[in-house]
Amino acid sequence: MHMYIGGEWTDREDKISVINPFNNSIVDTVPSATTDDVELAINSAVSGAKDIAALSGYERYQILRKAADLLEERTEDFARIITLEEGKVISEGRLEVSRAVQTMTLSAEESKRIHGEMVPLDGAPGWSGQLGFTLRVPCGVVAAISPFNFPLNLVCHKVGPALAAGNSVILKPATDTPLSALKLTEILLEAGVPTGAIQCITGSGSSIGDPLVADSRVRKVTFTGSRDIGERICKTAGLKKVTMELGSNAPLIVMPDADIDKVVKATVSSGFSNAGQVCISAQRIITHEKVYGDYLDALSSEVELINTGDPLDESVKMGPMVRSQDAERVNGWIKEAVNAGARTVVGGEYSGAVHQATVVADVNPDMRISCEELFGPAVAVTRSAGIDEAIKMANDSNYGLSAGIFTQDIDWAMKFAREVESGNLMINSGPQYRADLMPYGGLKESGMGKEGPRYAVEEMTELKMVVYHP
Ligand code: NAP
């Protein structure tokens, strides 16, 4: 495919191959953009910002509504592309498309609801007589940088609200998975987005990232990806708005009164979907000592059933990781934990990019498989003595994106909600839960700012204060 910059589908001699991680075949190629292409995209986005800001909220609603409909019509095509470029099983590809349709629909709705408010200036002594109100206006040009693991829905979470708010967008998808983003760009243009208001530039973040985020004409950077790249972008971006959706090593606390069958189901769906490559994957399972053995036995029986293979095969439950180096890394961390005294209860092997679903027990919290973001198909099970110790362990992390607890005790549940340092808190669910309309974002080094169309629109607009002095 070609990239879309400066109002044209553009090719370059230098190409990047998009690889199917299951069998290493080339799915397609995309151009490798240069810094000149970044300049072209920014110039075009500056004029596109004027064009889209001139549209009414209702016109932006109509465009995004149509884009959602077109996406829904092409569900099967998009699901296949997602699976081919990213490796998630096809049922998860379809689920991602249906969520992306929701995200675009919610964004369309938000186009109609952007407003300021009256400010009661006379509430302060001596300030009566003036009339104060706010205006919410677009930021202008938004740079949207997305990760590989949800190549469609996480792009929609940026592009949808940015366009709803009347901004132009320069989208830089992950180099491993640019095809879903390019196909979405086709849909947006077909739905009527003004040509300069969307740019989709393909190329390595390490070469085109800095000039894109540093440019002062870009007024907002919305980034989803790893902690280290996020930190680099914050430093490079300088004085502009940023939203950072970063990683985590999400904890799941299992209390002794939990329904173990429900916990096992939640661990499997929260820990192993998309081969564990989800920012809110259950990674650290902090299990009360009274149910530790029962939980491990029940979990092992279920995890053994997770078969791996070609993600296009409907009978396969888990596909490859995005790259073979990632499977190798995950395996290295598991072996390191085992050498330090943990034990592999299920799985533990890999071939190419396919890593078996793995349960590692007797994990010490300072082992890398627990204290860093694993981002792979393994869970690390650790024993705890009670709610206080479990919460302390959950908080013993630089991250704080999502956390879960299973308990029937309302006091424990509320203590968890109040004391665990996390942007999302799930009671009687695994941490991997996200409804696309909810405010979503992390605490600590998991990021800053919120997504979810209503909240993202706030992040992608500026507030002006107007005072009328009669
Ligand atoms: P990544 O390596 O940080 O890459 C994310 C994006 O940043 C890619 O488009 C990448 O481009 C680009 N990039 C790389 N260097 C850059 C630079 N110097 N300037 C600007 N952009 C640059 O992350 P990933 O491996 O794709 O995704 C996995 C990570 O994302 C995990 O840590 C995961 O937890 C996190 N994540 C967080 C959320 C959330 O909502 N909080 C959701 C999903 C994923 P290239 O691909 O060209 O390198």
Side-chain angles (χ1 to χ4, degrees):
M1 291 188 77
H2 296 173
M3 61 184 168
Y4 188 77
I5 53 172
E8 283 176 20
W9 290 100
T10 306
D11 201 8
R12 292 285 175 255
E13 231 169 76
D14 199 6
K15 302 268 195 297
I16 298 170
S17 296
V18 181
I19 306 287
N20 174 341
F22 177 67
N23 57 18
N24 287 324
S25 61
I26 295 176
V27 183
D28 208 334
T29 61
V30 294
S32 176
T34 61
T35 49
D36 288 345
D37 293 322
V38 173
E39 181 63 22
L40 183 60
I42 296 175
N43 279 332
S44 172
V46 167
S47 78
K50 294 196 185 94
D51 295 339
I52 189 158
L55 298 179
S56 67
Y58 188 71
E59 286 167 323
R60 298 196 303 275
Y61 159 77
Q62 284 179 307
I63 290 170
L64 291 171
R65 178 66 262 167
K66 185 164 177 202
D69 290 342
L70 291 169
L71 195 52
E72 190 163 25
E73 274 168 26
R74 296 172 203 174
T75 295
E76 208 49 36
D77 290 351
F78 271 92
R80 199 180 151 78
I81 288 282
I82 291 170
T83 292
L84 285 174
E85 66 178 350
E86 201 264 352
K88 65 180 51 144
V89 290
I90 187 75
S91 57
E92 290 175 349
R94 289 186 194 113
L95 180 63
E96 181 169 347
V97 183
S98 73
R99 289 186 55 192
V101 171
Q102 274 299 304
T103 306
M104 293 306 281
T105 303
L106 291 161
S107 300
E109 290 296 333
E110 289 308 320
S111 309
K112 299 186 283 188
R113 296 182 191 137
I114 296 165
H115 59 85
E117 62 180 4
M118 299 305 296
V119 180
L121 295 172
D122 66 347
W127 294 97
S128 58
Q130 298 89 24
L131 185 67
F133 60 94
T134 58
L135 291 175
R136 197 167 271 287
V137 298
C139 293
V141 178
V142 172
I145 303 175
S146 55
F148 76 83
N149 63 332
F150 287 89
L152 180 65
N153 194 32
L154 292 183
V155 166
C156 289
H157 267 288
K158 300 186 177 312
V159 172
L163 295 173
N167 300 289
S168 64
V169 186
I170 304 173
L171 170 61
K172 208 297 284 168
T175 297
D176 288 315
T177 57
L179 303 177
S180 313
L182 290 165
K183 290 250 167 228
L184 179 74
T185 304
E186 285 177 356
I187 279 187
L188 290 168
L189 291 166
E190 196 177 331
V193 171
T195 50
I198 179 78
Q199 321 275 328
C200 186
I201 186 164
T202 55
S204 159
S206 59
S207 54
I208 59 171
D210 282 358
L212 175 60
V213 301
D215 197 289
S216 60
R217 292 166 293 173
V218 172
R219 296 311 311 146
K220 161 90 196 178
V221 178
T222 169
F223 171 77
T224 301
S226 59
R227 180 218 165 277
D228 290 355
I229 302 287
E231 187 175 37
R232 182 192 169 112
I233 289 175
C234 285
K235 287 180 179 154
T236 312
L239 293 176
K240 54 175 69 93
K241 283 163 83 92
V242 291
T243 296
M244 290 282 141
E245 298 283 352
L246 310 177
S248 82
N249 55 352
L252 170 60
I253 296 174
V254 185
M255 295 307 289
D257 60 345
D259 177 332
I260 293 298
D261 286 345
K262 284 189 182 159
V263 184
V264 165
K265 279 200 185 79
T267 314
V268 168
S269 64
S270 237
F272 300 100
S273 66
N274 198 19
Q277 300 164 112
V278 183
C279 49
I280 47 179
S281 279
Q283 180 178 330
R284 298 178 289 148
I285 318 296
I286 301 166
T287 310
H288 195 278
E289 56 198 10
K290 279 194 190 150
V291 290
Y292 190 82
D294 291 349
Y295 168 67
L296 269 183
D297 289 346
L299 180 65
S300 307
S301 315
E302 281 301 309
V303 172
E304 268 167 1
L305 301 176
I306 303 176
N307 63 332
T308 54
D310 186 344
L312 283 175
D313 179 341
E314 305 274 355
S315 69
V316 165
K317 294 211 174 82
M318 199 173 81
M321 298 190 68
V322 74
R323 297 170 220 103
S324 53
Q325 305 93 286
D326 287 295
E328 195 181 335
R329 175 187 56 79
V330 164
N331 202 258
W333 290 20
I334 292 170
K335 297 237 154 68
E336 193 179 284
V338 169
N339 288 337
R343 63 193 161 98
T344 303
V345 184
V346 183
E349 301 299 327
Y350 77 104
S351 166
V354 178
H355 197 293
Q356 288 177 331
T358 300
V359 176
V360 187
D362 304 344
V363 170
N364 193 313
D366 60 13
M367 292 173 180
R368 195 143 49 143
I369 196 174
S370 177
C371 65
E372 291 186 26
E373 180 179 36
L374 179 72
F375 217 58
V379 291
V381 188
T382 303
R383 209 180 285 264
S384 86
I387 188 72
D388 290 321
E389 190 189 32
I391 289 177
K392 195 164 168 238
M393 285 164 121
N395 284 338
D396 184 17
S397 170
N398 293 339
Y399 294 117
L401 186 54
S402 189
I405 189 170
F406 271 88
T407 183
Q408 298 306 312
D409 186 311
I410 187 80
D411 291 336
W412 284 343
M414 289 302 123
K415 188 176 170 65
F416 159 85
R418 282 176 189 272
E419 294 182 16
V420 171
E421 298 153 355
S422 174
N424 299 286
L425 294 145
M426 301 296 141
I427 297 167
N428 291 326
S429 156
Q432 198 191 125
Y433 174 93
R434 179 179 186 181
D436 291 288
L437 51 68
M438 72 189 208
Y440 178 88
L443 307 186
K444 303 201 280 192
E445 294 186 10
S446 288
M448 54 209 179
K450 297 287 176 204
E451 287 197 338
R454 176 179 150 205
Y455 308 92
V457 161
E458 285 189 11
E459 308 252 344
M460 294 191 187
T461 45
E462 301 274 10
L463 211 54
K464 287 174 156 183
M465 177 71 209
V466 183
V467 182
Y468 172 62
H469 299 255

